[in-house]
Amino acid sequence: MHTDTERCVRAVQSKESRFDGVFFTAVRTTRIYCRPSCPAVPPKPENMEFHPSAASCQRAGYRACKRCRPDTSPGSPEWNVRADAVARAVRLIQDGVVDREGVPGLARRLGWSTRQIERQLLAELGAGPLALARAQRAQTARLLIETTPMPFGEIAFAAGFSSIRTFNDTVREVFALTPGELRARAARRSPAGPAATPGVISLRLPFRTPLEPSNLFGHLAATAVPGVEEWRDGAYRRTLSLPYGHGIVALAPRDGHIACRLSLTDPRDLTQAISRCRRLLDLDADPVAVDERLRSDPLLAPIVDQAPGRRVPGTVDPAEFAVRAVLGQQVSTAAARTHAARLVTAHGVPVDDPEGGLTHLFPGPEALAALDPETLALPRSRRTTLLTLVRALADGSLPLGPADDREEARARLLALPGFGPWTTEIIAMRALGDPDAFLPGDLGVRRAAEGLGLPGTPAALTARAAHWRPWRAYAVQYLWATDDHPINLLPA
């Protein structure tokens, strides 16, 4: 996109928010960079240059606009759609891998050399892994400065900086303000000042409009595992297992953003917590592109027009979702919740939740790999499926992370006993984030397809759905939404 100068100029002049995060506009005369939708008067085309990332702008010597705050724009949808190594690298950097493991750790996860990673990211994003991680650290620091009363020294290390001096220099360079000036500006915008509750961070998660919250939050609330998830006071709340500790997040739909309230035992987990929440709610999607493609099918168009902007509910933990997918095989939503709740009570780590009713972290594969199969109230074949899955997850032979190859993961899942196309595709859809995952054999999908006049058999529906690619996972959400199941209703 950023190489198509004419299209970028048109987007800037029309202030199209759809392209926020897809490319960035750098202004040569002012040395600042902006979102395409910046409310300021657009610069002359000859003074614009376009970059694929905020890190690329910063690397070229531009600072972030104080008015449109381009560093806080939604992420580019390209990196969730693509499955190649560059996209996987970007997803890992968003998860904070470079901060925790360095570029060598990133290289090990991808099976590349550090030189290959540097070259490929520079070619596509205009910045290498260190510059991308630095830009992310700057944004994390800004959030902590503006939303918490934490001392700047603690913020520096929580955001991933190696020293307070580097933190100060980076903030001044990226935002043209000192940390103290950033906090003072935030206090003027919100007279009540930053949140006073220790360890609690309140922020807004941006997204591209439109966003239809009914199936998104309805699905999360209807399938919530007691003790791990709940719907309370208009927000979806859940516990999070994070690299440095644990957390509790509350997410609520608002006009133009998602309200996010994070309680963390260690602020160093902020970057990954935000990344997981964005994946959970599919906030980096491009709903205009998705709906345009699906609307081109005349039989899908009416349900797309009825509630545009549906997202695909994701997960904060791919391994957790894989376990829950097995527990949900051939049983009702209520029964799947009951099975999962028993595992949580028996094997989950207890947590305190002063603000609600959450009690445990969902048990990880290592905790479940040693469980006694006789304690599971499941058919014997399902016990075998579950135990085989958790052992494969625990020993690393079944990686399901943001950097893992989706097709390879599908093949490994199908090789496990008890895994068929439905279970494999629902994991690909929600745990691996594949926007083209498809469930032609799902009863709800087939019933909805027949009601709309679409083919009812899996083979014929798959053939018809070829036109919907690469957005078939979104088509599934629209088809499911034709039913009045609780997953499609925003909780009261």
Side-chain angles (χ1 to χ4, degrees):
M1 173 72 186
H2 74 284
T3 58
D4 188 341
T5 301
E6 183 178 345
R7 188 181 179 196
C8 288
V9 168
R10 288 200 307 269
V12 171
Q13 292 176 336
S14 59
K15 302 186 186 299
E16 290 193 50
S17 60
R18 171 186 173 184
F19 296 106
D20 287 355
V22 176
F23 72 90
F24 296 82
T25 308
V27 186
R28 298 187 183 99
T29 51
T30 60
R31 305 305 297 173
I32 66 170
Y33 71 96
C34 301
R35 304 169 181 245
S37 66
C38 182
V41 177
K44 295 178 180 179
E46 59 267 26
N47 293 330
M48 300 182 199
E49 64 181 60
F50 304 103
H51 292 258
S53 67
S56 174
C57 295
Q58 294 168 18
R59 184 171 177 266
Y62 293 93
R63 61 173 177 81
C65 174
K66 297 174 185 176
R67 190 167 180 182
C68 70
R69 299 177 59 155
D71 53 300
T72 63
S73 61
S76 172
E78 182 177 7
W79 309 119
N80 289 333
V81 175
R82 286 172 47 176
D84 58 25
V86 170
R88 287 152 54 201
V90 170
R91 293 197 290 270
L92 280 173
I93 293 169
Q94 290 171 344
D95 258 6
V97 167
V98 171
D99 289 336
R100 295 192 303 274
E101 304 173 23
V103 178
L106 177 66
R108 281 194 302 272
R109 290 183 178 233
L110 293 169
W112 278 13
S113 70
T114 56
R115 184 176 179 181
Q116 283 177 304
I117 292 173
E118 185 80 25
R119 184 170 62 247
Q120 291 291 333
L121 291 179
L122 276 172
E124 294 215 32
L125 284 160
L130 288 176
L132 291 167
R134 176 180 179 268
Q136 185 162 276
R137 283 195 295 273
Q139 168 59 6
T140 301
R142 183 176 198 161
L143 281 173
L144 292 172
I145 290 168
E146 295 183 339
T147 63
T148 76
M150 289 173 60
F152 294 145
E154 293 181 19
I155 289 176
F157 295 109
F161 290 97
S162 58
S163 70
I164 296 175
R165 180 177 179 177
T166 304
F167 159 74
N168 287 326
D169 291 345
T170 300
V171 170
R172 278 196 299 266
E173 181 181 338
V174 172
F175 305 115
L177 294 168
T178 66
E181 290 168 337
L182 270 178
R183 179 162 283 175
R185 282 169 60 92
R188 288 195 295 271
R189 288 195 303 269
S190 303
T197 307
V200 174
I201 302 166
S202 296
L203 58 143
R204 297 182 172 197
L205 301 182
F207 55 77
R208 293 176 185 84
T209 57
L211 182 144
E212 170 54 49
S214 58
N215 74 302
L216 183 58
F217 286 92
H219 205 121
L220 296 174
T223 61
V225 177
V228 175
E229 304 165 287
E230 68 176 1
W231 181 266
R232 181 182 291 265
D233 298 330
Y236 166 76
R237 304 179 73 246
R238 71 154 294 147
T239 58
L240 302 170
S241 297
L242 298 162
Y244 296 105
H246 68 266
I248 293 175
V249 65
L251 299 163
R254 297 288 185 263
D255 185 17
H257 69 278
I258 300 294
C260 175
R261 179 177 169 85
L262 276 165
S263 175
L264 303 173
T265 57
D266 192 317
R268 290 178 295 176
D269 285 320
L270 177 62
T271 296
Q272 187 165 85
I274 293 173
S275 176
R276 291 187 184 190
C277 291
R278 295 194 67 81
R279 284 204 301 271
L280 173 71
L281 301 181
D282 194 19
L283 296 185
D284 291 325
D286 183 349
V288 174
V290 172
D291 290 352
E292 281 180 355
R293 167 63 70 175
L294 299 184
R295 196 179 281 114
S296 65
D297 187 319
L299 296 182
L300 276 186
I303 59 174
V304 174
D305 290 336
Q306 184 177 357
R310 293 194 184 275
R311 301 299 207 270
V312 178
T315 182
V316 297
D317 186 337
E320 173 191 318
F321 184 81
V323 170
R324 291 171 62 172
V326 170
L327 295 176
Q329 287 178 333
Q330 300 178 351
V331 298
S332 67
T333 299
R337 295 178 66 212
T338 299
H339 289 316
R342 289 172 181 162
L343 284 184
V344 167
T345 301
H347 303 282
V349 176
V351 298
D352 293 325
D353 178 21
E355 299 181 351
L358 303 180
T359 59
H360 290 80
L361 302 175
F362 196 91
E366 295 78 9
L368 295 176
L371 61 80
D372 180 358
E374 297 303 319
T375 63
L376 299 174
L378 297 170
R380 187 168 298 278
S381 61
R382 195 80 46 76
R383 297 179 194 174
T384 301
T385 299
L386 180 63
L387 288 174
T388 305
L389 169 68
V390 295
R391 288 167 183 166
L393 291 168
D395 66 20
S397 60
L398 178 61
L400 293 178
D404 296 308
D405 185 276
R406 292 166 179 166
E407 293 308 314
E408 183 179 344
R410 276 184 171 92
R412 295 192 183 197
L413 286 167
L414 286 170
L416 297 178
F419 273 79
W422 185 91
T423 308
T424 299
E425 285 302 299
I426 197 69
I427 291 174
M429 178 187 295
R430 296 195 55 194
L432 298 174
D434 186 348
D436 203 38
F438 193 49
L439 305 169
D442 179 83
L443 180 60
V445 169
R446 292 175 62 185
R447 188 164 52 223
E450 291 173 352
L452 293 172
L454 292 163
T457 64
L461 185 57
T462 299
R464 175 62 175 261
H467 179 68
W468 306 340
R469 306 189 77 168
W471 310 118
R472 293 184 301 176
Y474 294 87
V476 169
Q477 306 305 314
Y478 281 105
L479 291 171
W480 274 340
T482 61
D483 195 359
D484 60 357
H485 192 282
I487 65 170
N488 296 314
L489 306 174
L490 189 66

